[in-house]
Amino acid sequence: MADSQLTIVIRARDLASESFKQLNRQLKITDRQFNSTMRSMDSAANSMMLATAVIGGGLLAAAGYATKLAIAAVESENLFAVSMGDMADEARSFSESLRTQFGLNAIETRKAVGTFNIMFTAMGLGKRASLDMSEGLTMLAQDMASFFNIAPEAAFDKLRSGIVGETEPLRQLGIVINETNVKQWAYTHGLIAQGAELSESQKILARYGLIMDSTSKAQGDLGRTIQSPANQLRILQARFKETAETVGKEFLPVVSSALLWINNEGMPRVMDAVNLMKRSWSEMGAEGRTQIIGIAVLFAAGGPFIKALAAGARAVRFLHANIGLLQTGIIGIAAGLGLLAAR
């Protein structure tokens, strides 16, 4: 009888041991499957989030860029209109002709003409002379950009510096516009008598003439080399910028309304909330401030606790998925213990 009971106990023990081994193996398999599934889901979710972020961020960036260009274009057009006055229509026709002939950005052209025109009229030149010289230097900036392979903006800045007597920017391109050369040009072209002094407006006229004479080889280069890759790239950039400005103009009414609301209503409300928080903090006792700081610290430390809860939940899922094997093992143990107790 004793041998029979011992055999039953051994079998129960072996059964329990095998059951726990199976449970352990199944738990490992389930754990691997679960982790693989979670990694796949995490990867898919991350990919979707990344794609959404990239697309959304790209669209927002493009909209912001286009809106910024549109705002700048509106300001440029305002400058042009005020600067040119009753000469605006003629100057506008000039900018559109350059756009048609060379693919230049008409708004950028008008901005350059308007900027030069403000300078010349402020120095006492008449409307016609100011317009002719403004258009001449604007076209020359494009030719110099093509000839010297520099940005049109850089050429514009060098010409603007040279026309007011700053010699170094143009000297970098081999164009010498110093006081001696300016006087000599004025004497040679009958602007003033030999030995006379130049007035400020006469200096401008002489510098303009000397610049045009000194850049004769560069003039017309844009037209001559319009098919070159560098010039075609400039045209593409100009067209792209023009397109972005057109798109950005569609956003301007919404942006203007939003900015008005932010400035007139949004920011005052924010400041009211900030002032209320400051007053509340000032009126709060030491105990209340301590409690608020404690709550903030609790939230900051809550991350590890939440991770621990997630790990516990995963363990519960594992056990629930393998409850059958666990029950078999427990029954085997109980049977063995019962037989041992019966002895």
Side-chain angles (χ1 to χ4, degrees), residues 11-311:
R11 291 179 63 187
R13 182 200 62 187
D14 292 343
L15 179 61
S17 176
E18 182 61 29
S19 296
F20 275 109
K21 287 180 180 179
Q22 291 181 13
L23 174 62
N24 187 49
R25 287 194 296 269
Q26 188 61 38
L27 285 174
K28 289 181 179 179
I29 294 172
T30 304
D31 183 56
R32 287 195 297 270
Q33 292 175 342
F34 179 80
N35 287 333
S36 177
T37 301
M38 290 302 297
R39 283 194 297 270
S40 298
M41 293 177 64
D42 287 342
S43 177
N46 290 335
S47 298
M48 291 177 64
M49 291 174 63
L50 178 61
T52 301
V54 170
I55 295 172
L59 290 174
L60 287 175
Y65 173 74
T67 303
K68 184 177 180 180
L69 287 180
I71 292 173
V74 170
E75 296 302 314
S76 294
E77 291 293 81
N78 289 338
L79 178 148
F80 172 78
V82 173
S83 167
M84 302 311 302
D86 56 6
M87 307 293 283
D89 289 342
E90 186 175 344
R92 188 178 298 277
S93 297
F94 169 76
S95 68
E96 293 298 333
S97 69
L98 293 189
R99 183 184 186 280
T100 301
Q101 188 175 359
F102 302 115
L104 302 181
N105 186 322
I107 294 176
E108 291 294 316
T109 299
R110 289 195 287 272
K111 179 182 177 182
V113 172
T115 301
F116 279 129
N117 195 71
I118 288 176
M119 183 187 306
F120 293 142
T121 54
M123 293 176 178
L125 298 180
K127 292 181 179 181
R128 172 49 55 186
S130 295
L131 176 61
D132 291 343
M133 292 168 62
S134 297
E135 291 180 351
L137 290 181
T138 297
M139 187 65 244
L140 179 58
Q142 297 294 334
D143 284 330
M144 287 175 59
S146 174
F147 188 78
F148 293 105
N149 195 28
I150 60 177
E153 294 80 9
F156 171 84
D157 289 339
K158 291 179 184 296
L159 288 173
R160 183 173 57 179
S161 298
I163 205 70
V164 296
E166 297 178 14
T167 62
E168 184 56 29
L170 285 175
R171 188 191 299 272
Q172 295 172 355
L173 300 178
I175 303 169
V176 181
I177 310 295
N178 56 32
E179 186 175 353
T180 300
N181 290 345
V182 170
K183 283 186 176 181
Q184 186 59 44
W185 189 94
Y187 298 149
T188 302
H189 291 79
L191 191 61
I192 57 173
Q194 190 73 28
E197 292 297 322
L198 289 165
S199 66
E200 289 302 315
S201 59
Q202 288 172 333
K203 287 179 181 179
I204 295 296
L205 291 171
R207 289 182 194 129
Y208 176 81
L210 183 58
I211 288 173
M212 298 304 289
D213 287 351
S214 301
T215 58
S216 58
K217 291 183 179 180
Q219 292 170 32
D221 190 77
L222 178 60
R224 291 191 300 268
T225 60
I226 193 67
Q227 299 298 329
S228 70
N231 283 330
Q232 286 298 307
L233 180 59
R234 291 191 183 95
I235 293 172
L236 178 61
Q237 291 172 337
R239 291 292 171 84
F240 177 79
K241 191 173 183 180
E242 247 184 355
T243 301
E245 288 168 347
T246 302
V247 173
K249 287 179 181 179
E250 299 299 319
F251 294 107
L252 287 184
V254 177
V255 172
S256 298
S257 298
L259 290 174
L260 285 172
W261 183 89
I262 290 171
N263 290 329
N264 296 332
E265 298 186 38
M267 288 307 299
R269 292 181 184 180
V270 171
M271 291 306 301
D272 289 342
V274 171
N275 291 331
L276 178 60
M277 291 171 62
K278 288 172 60 178
R279 288 195 302 271
S280 300
W281 183 260
S282 299
E283 296 170 358
M284 189 181 301
E287 182 178 356
R289 294 181 183 180
T290 301
Q291 290 175 350
I292 290 177
I293 293 174
I295 292 172
V297 172
L298 179 62
F299 274 104
F305 176 70
I306 293 174
K307 288 183 179 179
L309 286 179

